[in-house]
Amino acid sequence: MGDVWKALADPTRREILMMLRKGDRSAGEIADNFNISKPSISNHLNVLKQADLVGAEKQGQNVIYSLRTSVFEDMLQLLSSLTGREED
């Protein structure tokens, strides 16, 4: 889970996740929404992939990124158990 917290700590990565909530996107489509270099976006995407928060699938010359919701569900369950609000 350490990688997940690291990934979520950065506002750019959180914004990428919010974009992917609305649907899958290519790396170029993601990069078009930011005023930072494409290599920086690539780094952010790699951090998100390592944390298993996003999946990446090669489609032709593009890599399409998608949100992996199971990790978020696991985190919510963990947070619920830590706060004593876990359903029995």
Side-chain angles (χ1 to χ4, degrees), residues 16-45:
I16 291 170
L17 292 171
M18 294 301 288
M19 276 196 290
L20 292 175
R21 254 185 56 189
K22 297 174 185 170
D24 300 352
R25 288 187 166 53
S26 70
E29 290 171 323
I30 293 168
D32 288 345
N33 288 279
F34 296 93
N35 289 323
I36 58 177
S37 70
K38 288 189 180 188
S40 291
I41 290 295
S42 180
N43 182 54
H44 285 300
L45 289 167

